[in-house]
Amino acid sequence: MSPDRPAAVVVLAAGEGTRMKSSIPKVLHAVGGRSLVHHAVVAAAEMEPDHLVVVVGHGRDEVTAHLAEVAPKAATVVQEQQLGTGHAMQVALEAMPRFDGTVVVTYGD
């Protein structure tokens, strides 16, 4: 790992987005020709991390299928219950192999 790039980037994309009042998972809404989560994983991949993990939850089947198309190198992990940001990070870190280095956390929306 280069000291100029993170060991891992975690994209948090498990939330329901109840304030949006939409049946579409919030991270799949499009802005500028791409889904919100697509924008997030493109930006994350540009950092060339050793691990790129997206935490999914609400609408996970749709979100995982979309990620397989737009970011096939990203690993997805499921947060079964949306218990907050700290829990989402715990789920992500438990799914990754042990490593040393910086972890960048960002949002999929």
Side-chain angles (χ1 to χ4, degrees):
M1 178 190 86
S2 164
D4 297 336
R5 63 186 178 99
V9 176
V10 176
V11 178
L12 303 175
E16 188 172 353
T18 55
R19 290 182 294 256
M20 294 183 78
K21 299 191 182 349
S22 173
S23 61
I24 299 169
K26 72 177 173 179
V27 297
L28 295 184
H29 283 266
V31 174
R34 287 191 213 167
S35 69
L36 295 172
V37 74
H38 189 181
H39 284 287
V41 294
V42 166
E46 288 178 6
M47 290 184 266
E48 299 179 351
D50 295 328
H51 307 281
L52 174 53
V53 177
V54 181
V55 180
V56 299
H58 178 74
R60 68 176 157 222
D61 293 337
E62 292 171 89
V63 176
T64 300
H66 178 67
L67 288 167
E69 291 178 21
V70 301
K73 293 184 181 180
T76 57
V77 297
V78 176
Q79 183 185 23
E80 293 291 341
Q81 293 181 300
Q82 285 67 66
L83 300 176
T85 303
H87 181 256
M89 279 306 302
Q90 180 182 1
V91 169
L93 292 172
E94 288 173 354
M96 286 188 270
R98 292 195 63 78
F99 62 89
D100 285 329
T102 302
V103 178
V104 174
V105 182
T106 189
Y107 295 98
D109 61 349

